[in-house]
Coordinates of all heavy atoms in Angstrom, one line a residue:
M1 N -213.8 88.8 -49.5 CA -213.3 87.8 -48.7 C -211.8 87.6 -49.0 O -211.5 87.3 -50.1 CB -214.0 86.5 -48.6 CG -213.5 85.5 -48.0 SD -214.5 84.0 -48.1 CE -214.8 83.7 -46.4
A2 N -211.0 87.7 -48.1 CA -209.5 87.5 -48.3 C -209.3 86.0 -48.4 O -209.9 85.2 -47.8 CB -208.8 88.1 -47.1
P3 N -208.2 85.7 -49.3 CA -207.9 84.3 -49.5 C -207.2 83.7 -48.2 O -206.5 84.4 -47.4 CB -206.8 84.3 -50.7 CG -206.4 85.7 -50.6 CD -207.4 86.7 -50.1
D4 N -207.4 82.5 -47.8 CA -206.9 81.8 -46.8 C -205.6 81.4 -47.0 O -205.1 80.7 -48.0 CB -207.7 80.5 -46.6 CG -207.2 79.8 -45.2 OD1 -206.6 80.4 -44.5 OD2 -207.6 78.7 -45.0
P5 N -204.5 82.1 -46.2 CA -203.1 81.7 -46.4 C -202.7 80.3 -46.1 O -201.7 79.9 -46.6 CB -202.4 82.7 -45.5 CG -203.5 83.0 -44.4 CD -204.7 82.9 -45.1
N6 N -203.5 79.7 -45.4 CA -203.3 78.3 -45.0 C -203.8 77.3 -46.0 O -203.5 76.0 -46.0 CB -203.8 77.9 -43.6 CG -203.1 78.6 -42.5 OD1 -201.9 79.0 -42.7 ND2 -203.9 79.0 -41.6
A7 N -204.5 77.7 -46.9 CA -205.1 76.9 -48.1 C -204.0 76.3 -49.0 O -203.0 77.2 -49.3 CB -206.2 77.5 -48.9
R8 N -204.1 75.1 -49.4 CA -203.0 74.6 -50.3 C -203.1 75.3 -51.6 O -204.2 75.7 -52.1 CB -203.4 73.2 -50.6 CG -202.9 72.2 -49.4 CD -202.5 70.9 -49.8 NE -202.1 70.0 -48.7 CZ -200.9 69.7 -48.5 NH1 -199.9 70.0 -49.3 NH2 -200.7 68.9 -47.5
E9 N -202.0 75.3 -52.3 CA -201.9 76.0 -53.6 C -202.7 75.1 -54.6 O -202.9 73.9 -54.7 CB -200.4 75.8 -54.1 CG -200.1 76.5 -55.3 CD -198.6 76.3 -55.6 OE1 -197.8 76.4 -54.8 OE2 -198.4 76.0 -56.8
K10 N -203.5 75.9 -55.4 CA -204.6 75.4 -56.3 C -203.8 75.2 -57.6 O -203.8 76.0 -58.7 CB -205.6 76.3 -56.6 CG -206.5 76.6 -55.4 CD -207.2 75.4 -54.9 CE -208.0 75.6 -53.7 NZ -208.4 74.5 -52.9
S11 N -203.1 74.2 -57.7 CA -202.4 73.7 -58.9 C -202.4 72.1 -59.0 O -202.9 71.5 -58.3 CB -201.0 74.3 -58.9 OG -200.2 73.6 -57.9
L12 N -201.7 71.7 -60.1 CA -201.6 70.3 -60.3 C -200.8 69.7 -59.1 O -201.2 68.6 -58.5 CB -201.0 70.0 -61.5 CG -200.8 68.5 -61.8 CD1 -202.2 67.7 -61.9 CD2 -200.1 68.2 -63.2
R13 N -199.8 70.4 -58.7 CA -198.9 69.8 -57.6 C -199.6 69.8 -56.3 O -199.6 68.8 -55.6 CB -197.7 70.6 -57.5 CG -196.7 70.0 -56.4 CD -195.5 70.8 -56.3 NE -195.6 72.2 -56.2 CZ -195.9 72.8 -54.9 NH1 -195.9 72.0 -53.9 NH2 -196.1 74.1 -54.9
G14 N -200.4 70.9 -56.1 CA -201.3 70.9 -54.8 C -202.4 69.9 -54.7 O -202.6 69.2 -53.7
W15 N -203.0 69.6 -56.0 CA -204.0 68.6 -56.1 C -203.5 67.3 -55.8 O -204.0 66.4 -55.2 CB -204.6 68.7 -57.5 CG -205.8 67.7 -57.7 CD1 -207.1 67.8 -57.3 CD2 -205.6 66.4 -58.3 NE1 -207.8 66.8 -57.6 CE2 -206.9 66.0 -58.3 CE3 -204.6 65.7 -58.9 CZ2 -207.3 64.6 -58.9 CZ3 -204.9 64.6 -59.5 CH2 -206.1 64.0 -59.5
L16 N -202.2 67.0 -56.3 CA -201.6 65.6 -56.2 C -201.2 65.5 -54.8 O -201.2 64.4 -54.3 CB -200.5 65.6 -57.1 CG -200.8 65.2 -58.7 CD1 -199.6 65.3 -59.5 CD2 -201.4 63.9 -58.8
E17 N -200.6 66.5 -54.1 CA -200.1 66.2 -52.7 C -201.4 66.0 -51.8 O -201.1 65.5 -50.8 CB -199.5 67.6 -52.4 CG -198.1 67.7 -52.8 CD -197.2 68.9 -52.2 OE1 -197.9 69.6 -51.5 OE2 -195.9 69.0 -52.4
E18 N -202.5 66.5 -52.2 CA -203.6 66.1 -51.3 C -204.0 64.8 -51.5 O -204.5 64.1 -50.5 CB -204.8 67.1 -51.8 CG -204.7 68.5 -51.3 CD -205.9 69.2 -51.8 OE1 -206.9 68.7 -52.3 OE2 -205.9 70.5 -51.6
R19 N -203.7 64.1 -52.6 CA -204.1 62.6 -52.8 C -203.0 61.7 -52.7 O -203.3 60.5 -52.3 CB -204.8 62.6 -54.2 CG -206.1 63.2 -54.2 CD -206.5 63.7 -55.6 NE -207.8 64.4 -55.6 CZ -208.0 65.6 -55.2 NH1 -207.0 66.3 -54.7 NH2 -209.3 66.1 -55.2
F20 N -201.7 62.1 -52.9 CA -200.6 61.2 -52.9 C -199.5 61.8 -52.0 O -199.4 63.0 -51.8 CB -200.1 60.9 -54.2 CG -201.1 60.4 -55.2 CD1 -201.6 61.1 -56.2 CD2 -201.5 59.1 -55.1 CE1 -202.4 60.7 -57.1 CE2 -202.4 58.7 -56.1 CZ -202.8 59.3 -57.0
N21 N -198.6 61.0 -51.5 CA -197.3 61.4 -50.8 C -196.3 61.6 -51.9 O -195.5 60.8 -52.2 CB -197.0 60.4 -49.7 CG -195.8 61.0 -49.0 OD1 -195.3 62.1 -49.2 ND2 -195.5 60.2 -47.9
L22 N -196.2 62.9 -52.5 CA -195.3 63.2 -53.5 C -193.9 63.1 -53.1 O -193.0 62.8 -53.8 CB -195.6 64.5 -54.2 CG -196.8 64.6 -55.0 CD1 -197.0 66.2 -55.6 CD2 -196.8 63.6 -56.2
T23 N -193.7 63.4 -51.9 CA -192.4 63.4 -51.5 C -191.8 62.0 -51.3 O -190.6 61.7 -51.7 CB -192.3 64.0 -50.0 OG1 -192.9 65.2 -49.9 CG2 -190.9 64.2 -49.4
E24 N -192.6 61.0 -50.9 CA -192.2 59.6 -50.9 C -191.9 59.2 -52.4 O -191.0 58.5 -52.7 CB -193.3 58.8 -50.3 CG -192.8 57.3 -50.0 CD -191.9 57.2 -49.1 OE1 -191.9 57.9 -48.0 OE2 -190.9 56.2 -49.1
M25 N -192.7 59.6 -53.3 CA -192.6 59.1 -54.7 C -191.4 59.7 -55.2 O -190.6 59.2 -56.1 CB -193.8 59.6 -55.4 CG -194.9 58.8 -55.3 SD -196.2 59.5 -56.3 CE -197.8 58.5 -55.7
F26 N -191.1 61.0 -54.9 CA -190.0 61.7 -55.3 C -188.6 61.2 -54.7 O -187.6 61.2 -55.5 CB -190.1 63.3 -55.2 CG -189.1 64.1 -55.8 CD1 -189.1 64.4 -57.1 CD2 -188.0 64.7 -55.0 CE1 -188.2 65.1 -57.8 CE2 -187.1 65.5 -55.7 CZ -187.2 65.6 -57.1
S27 N -188.6 60.7 -53.5 CA -187.5 60.2 -53.0 C -187.0 59.0 -53.6 O -186.0 58.5 -53.4 CB -187.8 59.9 -51.4 OG -188.7 58.9 -51.2
L28 N -187.9 58.2 -54.2 CA -187.6 57.1 -55.2 C -186.4 57.5 -56.1 O -185.6 56.6 -56.4 CB -188.7 56.5 -55.9 CG -188.5 55.4 -56.8 CD1 -188.0 54.1 -55.9 CD2 -189.7 54.9 -57.6
L29 N -186.4 58.7 -56.6 CA -185.4 59.1 -57.5 C -184.1 59.1 -56.9 O -183.0 59.0 -57.6 CB -185.7 60.6 -58.0 CG -187.0 60.7 -58.8 CD1 -187.2 62.1 -59.3 CD2 -186.9 59.8 -60.0
T30 N -183.9 59.3 -55.6 CA -182.6 59.1 -54.8 C -182.0 57.8 -54.9 O -180.9 57.7 -54.9 CB -182.7 59.6 -53.4 OG1 -183.5 58.8 -52.7 CG2 -183.2 61.0 -53.3
S31 N -182.9 56.8 -55.1 CA -182.3 55.4 -55.2 C -181.6 55.2 -56.6 O -180.7 54.4 -56.6 CB -183.5 54.5 -55.0 OG -184.2 54.6 -53.8
F32 N -182.0 55.9 -57.6 CA -181.3 55.8 -58.9 C -180.3 56.8 -59.1 O -179.7 56.8 -60.1 CB -182.5 55.9 -60.0 CG -183.3 54.8 -60.0 CD1 -184.7 55.0 -59.6 CD2 -183.1 53.6 -60.3 CE1 -185.6 54.1 -59.6 CE2 -184.0 52.5 -60.3 CZ -185.3 52.7 -60.0
G33 N -180.0 57.7 -58.1 CA -179.1 58.8 -58.1 C -179.5 59.8 -59.0 O -178.7 60.7 -59.3
L34 N -180.8 60.0 -59.2 CA -181.2 61.2 -60.0 C -181.5 62.5 -59.2 O -181.6 63.5 -59.7 CB -182.6 60.8 -60.8 CG -182.3 59.6 -61.8 CD1 -183.7 59.3 -62.4 CD2 -181.4 60.1 -62.9
F35 N -181.6 62.3 -57.9 CA -181.7 63.4 -56.9 C -180.6 63.4 -56.0 O -180.5 62.3 -55.3 CB -183.0 63.5 -56.4 CG -183.3 64.8 -55.6 CD1 -183.5 66.0 -56.4 CD2 -183.3 64.8 -54.3 CE1 -183.7 67.2 -55.6 CE2 -183.5 65.9 -53.6 CZ -183.7 67.2 -54.3
P36 N -179.8 64.4 -55.8 CA -178.6 64.1 -55.0 C -178.7 64.3 -53.5 O -177.6 64.1 -52.8 CB -177.7 65.4 -55.4 CG -178.8 66.5 -55.8 CD -179.9 65.7 -56.3
A37 N -179.8 64.1 -52.9 CA -180.0 64.2 -51.5 C -181.1 63.4 -51.0 O -182.0 63.1 -51.7 CB -180.1 65.7 -50.8
E38 N -181.1 63.0 -49.7 CA -182.3 62.2 -49.3 C -183.4 63.2 -48.8 O -183.0 64.4 -48.3 CB -181.8 61.5 -47.8 CG -180.8 60.3 -48.3 CD -181.3 59.2 -49.1 OE1 -182.6 58.9 -48.9 OE2 -180.6 58.7 -50.0
L39 N -184.5 62.9 -48.9 CA -185.8 63.6 -48.6 C -186.5 63.1 -47.3 O -186.6 62.0 -47.1 CB -186.6 63.8 -49.8 CG -186.2 64.4 -51.1 CD1 -187.3 64.2 -52.2 CD2 -185.8 65.8 -51.0
D40 N -186.9 64.1 -46.5 CA -187.8 63.9 -45.4 C -189.1 63.7 -46.0 O -190.0 64.5 -46.5 CB -187.7 64.9 -44.4 CG -188.5 64.6 -43.2 OD1 -189.0 63.6 -43.0 OD2 -188.6 65.6 -42.3
A41 N -189.7 62.4 -45.8 CA -191.1 62.2 -46.6 C -192.2 62.7 -45.6 O -193.4 62.6 -46.1 CB -191.2 60.5 -46.6
R42 N -191.9 63.1 -44.5 CA -193.0 63.7 -43.7 C -193.3 65.1 -44.1 O -194.4 65.7 -43.5 CB -192.6 63.5 -42.1 CG -192.3 62.1 -41.7 CD -191.7 62.0 -40.4 NE -190.4 62.6 -40.7 CZ -189.6 62.9 -39.5 NH1 -189.8 62.4 -38.3 NH2 -188.4 63.3 -39.8
R43 N -192.6 65.8 -44.8 CA -192.8 67.1 -45.1 C -193.3 67.2 -46.5 O -193.2 66.5 -47.3 CB -191.5 67.8 -45.0 CG -190.8 67.9 -43.5 CD -189.5 68.3 -43.6 NE -189.6 69.8 -43.4 CZ -188.6 70.7 -43.3 NH1 -187.4 70.3 -43.6 NH2 -188.9 72.0 -43.2
P44 N -194.0 68.5 -46.9 CA -194.4 68.7 -48.3 C -193.3 68.6 -49.2 O -192.1 68.9 -48.9 CB -195.1 70.0 -48.1 CG -195.4 70.2 -46.7 CD -194.4 69.5 -46.0
L45 N -193.5 68.3 -50.5 CA -192.4 68.3 -51.4 C -191.5 69.5 -51.5 O -190.3 69.2 -51.5 CB -193.0 67.8 -52.7 CG -192.1 67.6 -53.9 CD1 -191.2 66.4 -53.6 CD2 -192.8 67.4 -55.2
R46 N -192.1 70.6 -51.6 CA -191.3 71.8 -51.9 C -190.3 72.0 -50.6 O -189.2 72.4 -50.8 CB -192.1 73.0 -52.0 CG -191.4 74.3 -52.3 CD -192.3 75.3 -52.8 NE -192.9 75.0 -53.9 CZ -192.7 75.8 -55.1 NH1 -192.1 76.9 -55.2 NH2 -193.2 75.4 -56.2
E47 N -190.9 71.8 -49.5 CA -190.1 72.1 -48.2 C -189.0 71.1 -48.1 O -187.9 71.3 -47.7 CB -191.0 72.1 -46.9 CG -191.9 73.3 -46.9 CD -192.9 73.1 -45.6 OE1 -192.4 72.2 -44.7 OE2 -193.8 73.8 -45.5
A48 N -189.4 69.9 -48.4 CA -188.3 68.8 -48.2 C -187.2 68.9 -49.3 O -186.0 68.7 -48.9 CB -189.0 67.4 -48.6
V49 N -187.5 69.3 -50.5 CA -186.5 69.6 -51.6 C -185.6 70.8 -51.2 O -184.4 70.7 -51.3 CB -187.2 69.7 -53.0 CG1 -186.1 70.3 -53.9 CG2 -187.7 68.4 -53.4
D50 N -186.2 71.9 -50.7 CA -185.5 73.0 -50.4 C -184.6 72.6 -49.2 O -183.3 73.0 -49.2 CB -186.4 74.2 -49.8 CG -187.2 74.7 -51.0 OD1 -186.7 74.6 -52.2 OD2 -188.2 75.5 -50.8
E51 N -185.0 71.9 -48.3 CA -184.2 71.5 -47.0 C -183.0 70.6 -47.5 O -181.9 70.8 -47.0 CB -185.1 70.9 -46.0 CG -184.4 70.7 -44.7 CD -183.8 69.2 -44.5 OE1 -184.5 68.3 -45.2 OE2 -182.8 69.0 -43.9
A52 N -183.3 69.7 -48.4 CA -182.4 68.7 -48.9 C -181.3 69.4 -49.7 O -180.1 69.0 -49.5 CB -183.0 67.6 -49.6
L53 N -181.6 70.4 -50.4 CA -180.5 71.0 -51.3 C -179.8 72.0 -50.5 O -178.7 72.4 -51.0 CB -181.1 71.7 -52.5 CG -182.0 70.7 -53.6 CD1 -182.7 71.5 -54.6 CD2 -180.8 69.9 -54.1
S54 N -180.3 72.4 -49.3 CA -179.5 73.3 -48.6 C -178.4 72.7 -47.7 O -177.5 73.4 -47.3 CB -180.5 74.1 -47.6 OG -180.8 73.2 -46.5
R55 N -178.4 71.3 -47.6 CA -177.5 70.6 -46.9 C -176.1 70.4 -47.9 O -176.4 70.3 -49.1 CB -177.9 69.2 -46.5 CG -178.8 69.3 -45.3 CD -179.2 67.9 -44.8 NE -180.5 67.7 -45.4 CZ -180.9 66.5 -45.8 NH1 -180.3 65.4 -45.6 NH2 -182.2 66.4 -46.3
P56 N -174.9 70.4 -47.4 CA -173.8 70.0 -48.2 C -173.8 68.6 -48.7 O -174.2 67.7 -48.0 CB -172.7 70.4 -47.3 CG -173.0 70.3 -45.9 CD -174.5 70.7 -46.0
F57 N -173.2 68.5 -49.9 CA -173.2 67.1 -50.6 C -171.9 66.5 -50.3 O -170.8 67.1 -50.6 CB -173.5 67.2 -52.0 CG -173.8 66.0 -52.7 CD1 -174.8 65.2 -52.3 CD2 -172.9 65.6 -53.7 CE1 -175.1 64.0 -53.0 CE2 -173.2 64.4 -54.4 CZ -174.3 63.6 -54.0
P58 N -171.8 65.3 -49.8 CA -170.5 64.8 -49.4 C -169.7 64.4 -50.7 O -170.3 63.8 -51.6 CB -170.8 63.5 -48.5 CG -172.1 63.2 -48.8 CD -172.9 64.5 -49.2
S59 N -168.4 64.6 -50.8 CA -167.6 64.3 -51.9 C -167.5 62.8 -52.2 O -167.5 62.4 -53.4 CB -166.1 65.0 -51.7 OG -165.6 64.2 -50.8
Y60 N -167.6 61.9 -51.1 CA -167.4 60.5 -51.4 C -168.7 59.9 -52.1 O -168.7 58.9 -52.7 CB -167.2 59.8 -50.1 CG -168.3 59.9 -49.2 CD1 -169.4 59.0 -49.2 CD2 -168.3 60.8 -48.1 CE1 -170.5 59.1 -48.4 CE2 -169.3 60.9 -47.3 CZ -170.3 60.0 -47.4 OH -171.4 60.1 -46.4
A61 N -169.9 60.6 -52.1 CA -171.1 60.1 -52.7 C -171.3 60.6 -54.2 O -172.4 60.3 -54.7 CB -172.3 60.6 -51.8
R62 N -170.3 61.4 -54.7 CA -170.6 62.0 -56.2 C -170.6 60.8 -57.1 O -171.5 60.7 -58.0 CB -169.5 62.9 -56.4 CG -169.9 64.1 -55.6 CD -169.0 65.4 -56.1 NE -169.2 66.5 -55.2 CZ -168.5 67.2 -54.6 NH1 -167.2 66.8 -54.7 NH2 -168.6 68.2 -53.9
W63 N -169.6 60.0 -57.2 CA -169.4 59.0 -58.3 C -170.6 57.9 -58.2 O -171.1 57.5 -59.3 CB -168.0 58.4 -58.3 CG -167.1 59.2 -58.9 CD1 -166.2 60.0 -58.3 CD2 -167.1 59.5 -60.3 NE1 -165.5 60.7 -59.2 CE2 -166.1 60.4 -60.6 CE3 -167.7 59.1 -61.4 CZ2 -165.8 61.0 -61.8 CZ3 -167.6 59.6 -62.6 CH2 -166.6 60.5 -62.8
P64 N -171.1 57.4 -57.2 CA -172.1 56.4 -57.1 C -173.4 57.2 -57.6 O -174.1 56.4 -58.4 CB -172.3 56.0 -55.8 CG -170.9 56.3 -55.1 CD -170.4 57.4 -55.7
R65 N -173.6 58.4 -57.4 CA -174.6 59.2 -58.1 C -174.6 59.3 -59.5 O -175.5 59.1 -60.3 CB -174.8 60.5 -57.4 CG -175.0 60.6 -56.0 CD -176.4 60.0 -55.5 NE -176.4 60.1 -54.1 CZ -177.5 59.8 -53.3 NH1 -178.6 59.3 -54.0 NH2 -177.5 59.8 -52.1
V66 N -173.4 59.5 -60.0 CA -173.2 59.7 -61.4 C -173.4 58.4 -62.1 O -174.0 58.3 -63.1 CB -171.6 60.3 -61.6 CG1 -171.3 60.1 -63.1 CG2 -171.5 61.6 -61.3
L67 N -172.8 57.2 -61.6 CA -173.1 56.0 -62.1 C -174.6 55.6 -62.0 O -175.1 54.9 -63.0 CB -172.4 54.9 -61.3 CG -170.7 55.0 -61.5 CD1 -170.1 54.1 -60.7 CD2 -170.4 54.9 -62.9
G68 N -175.4 56.1 -61.1 CA -176.8 55.8 -61.0 C -177.6 56.5 -62.1 O -178.4 56.0 -62.8
I69 N -177.2 57.7 -62.3 CA -177.7 58.6 -63.4 C -177.4 58.0 -64.7 O -178.4 57.9 -65.7 CB -177.2 60.1 -63.3 CG1 -177.8 60.7 -62.0 CG2 -177.6 60.9 -64.4 CD1 -177.2 62.0 -61.7
L70 N -176.1 57.6 -65.0 CA -175.7 57.0 -66.2 C -176.6 55.8 -66.5 O -177.0 55.4 -67.6 CB -174.2 56.7 -66.2 CG -173.8 56.1 -67.4 CD1 -173.9 57.0 -68.6 CD2 -172.2 55.8 -67.2
S71 N -176.8 54.8 -65.5 CA -177.5 53.5 -65.7 C -178.9 53.9 -66.0 O -179.6 53.3 -66.9 CB -177.2 52.8 -64.6 OG -177.8 53.2 -63.3
M72 N -179.5 54.9 -65.4 CA -180.9 55.2 -65.6 C -181.0 55.8 -67.0 O -182.0 55.3 -67.7 CB -181.4 56.3 -64.6 CG -182.7 56.5 -64.6 SD -183.8 55.1 -64.2 CE -185.3 55.9 -64.2
L73 N -180.2 56.6 -67.5 CA -180.3 57.2 -68.7 C -180.0 56.1 -69.8 O -180.7 56.2 -70.9 CB -179.2 58.2 -68.9 CG -179.4 59.7 -68.1 CD1 -178.3 60.6 -68.4 CD2 -180.8 60.3 -68.6
L74 N -179.1 55.2 -69.6 CA -178.8 54.1 -70.5 C -180.2 53.3 -70.6 O -180.6 52.7 -71.7 CB -177.7 53.3 -70.1 CG -176.4 53.9 -70.4 CD1 -175.2 53.2 -69.9 CD2 -176.2 54.3 -72.0
F75 N -180.9 52.9 -69.5 CA -182.0 52.2 -69.4 C -183.2 52.9 -70.2 O -184.0 52.2 -71.1 CB -182.5 52.0 -68.0 CG -183.8 51.2 -68.0 CD1 -183.9 49.8 -68.1 CD2 -184.9 51.8 -67.6 CE1 -185.0 49.1 -68.1 CE2 -186.3 51.1 -67.5 CZ -186.2 49.9 -67.8
V76 N -183.2 54.2 -70.1 CA -184.3 55.0 -70.7 C -184.0 54.9 -72.3 O -184.9 54.8 -73.1 CB -184.4 56.5 -70.2 CG1 -185.2 57.3 -71.1 CG2 -185.1 56.4 -68.9
F77 N -182.7 55.0 -72.6 CA -182.4 55.0 -74.1 C -182.6 53.8 -74.6 O -183.3 53.6 -75.8 CB -180.9 55.3 -74.2 CG -180.3 55.3 -75.5 CD1 -180.8 56.3 -76.5 CD2 -179.6 54.3 -76.0 CE1 -180.2 56.3 -77.8 CE2 -179.1 54.2 -77.3 CZ -179.5 55.2 -78.2
L78 N -182.4 52.6 -73.8 CA -182.7 51.2 -74.3 C -184.2 51.1 -74.5 O -184.7 50.5 -75.5 CB -182.1 50.2 -73.4 CG -182.4 48.7 -73.7 CD1 -181.7 48.4 -75.0 CD2 -182.0 47.9 -72.5
A79 N -185.0 51.5 -73.5 CA -186.5 51.4 -73.6 C -187.0 52.2 -74.8 O -187.9 51.7 -75.4 CB -187.2 51.9 -72.3
L80 N -186.4 53.4 -75.1 CA -187.0 54.2 -76.3 C -186.7 53.7 -77.6 O -187.4 53.7 -78.6 CB -186.5 55.6 -76.0 CG -187.1 56.5 -74.9 CD1 -186.6 57.8 -74.9 CD2 -188.5 56.5 -75.0
T81 N -185.5 53.0 -77.6 CA -185.0 52.7 -78.9 C -185.2 51.1 -79.2 O -185.3 50.7 -80.4 CB -183.4 52.8 -79.1 OG1 -182.7 52.0 -78.1 CG2 -183.1 54.2 -79.0
G82 N -185.6 50.4 -78.1 CA -186.0 48.9 -78.4 C -184.7 48.2 -78.4 O -184.4 47.2 -78.8

């Protein structure tokens, strides 16, 4: 019997996508500046990330993203070191 090409990928990501909206969870990272583009939450995670990374990134939005990444890294460092 041939495998069904429409069947979801049998992996941890595929299992999680069946139960949770991973795209919506991953789009939270854009709020902190950890991911450089907005994601379409209606699409599967891989398609949404591929589509978001194919769009050009505006030059005026670079520094707020850098500051978001820096603040997130400092928060993680503070949480780890106490």
Side-chain angles (χ1 to χ4, degrees):
M1 176 179 227
D4 183 14
N6 295 328
R8 284 209 183 247
E9 185 178 316
K10 299 293 183 199
S11 65
L12 178 61
R13 187 180 49 82
W15 182 80
L16 285 172
E17 278 186 353
E18 289 177 3
R19 285 152 182 82
F20 304 107
N21 187 351
L22 288 182
T23 308
E24 187 70 33
M25 291 177 185
F26 192 73
S27 68
L28 177 68
L29 298 177
T30 62
S31 302
F32 294 108
L34 297 176
F35 189 73
E38 297 294 324
L39 295 177
D40 183 6
R42 298 169 295 179
R43 302 175 80 183
L45 181 62
R46 182 172 297 241
E47 290 177 19
V49 169
D50 290 342
E51 190 261 331
L53 292 177
S54 68
R55 285 184 261 149
F57 192 61
S59 62
Y60 64 84
R62 287 190 183 124
W63 278 107
R65 302 289 181 179
V66 170
L67 294 175
I69 291 170
L70 181 62
S71 63
M72 185 65 169
L73 289 176
L74 288 174
F75 176 75
V76 168
F77 180 72
L78 179 66
L80 291 176
T81 60

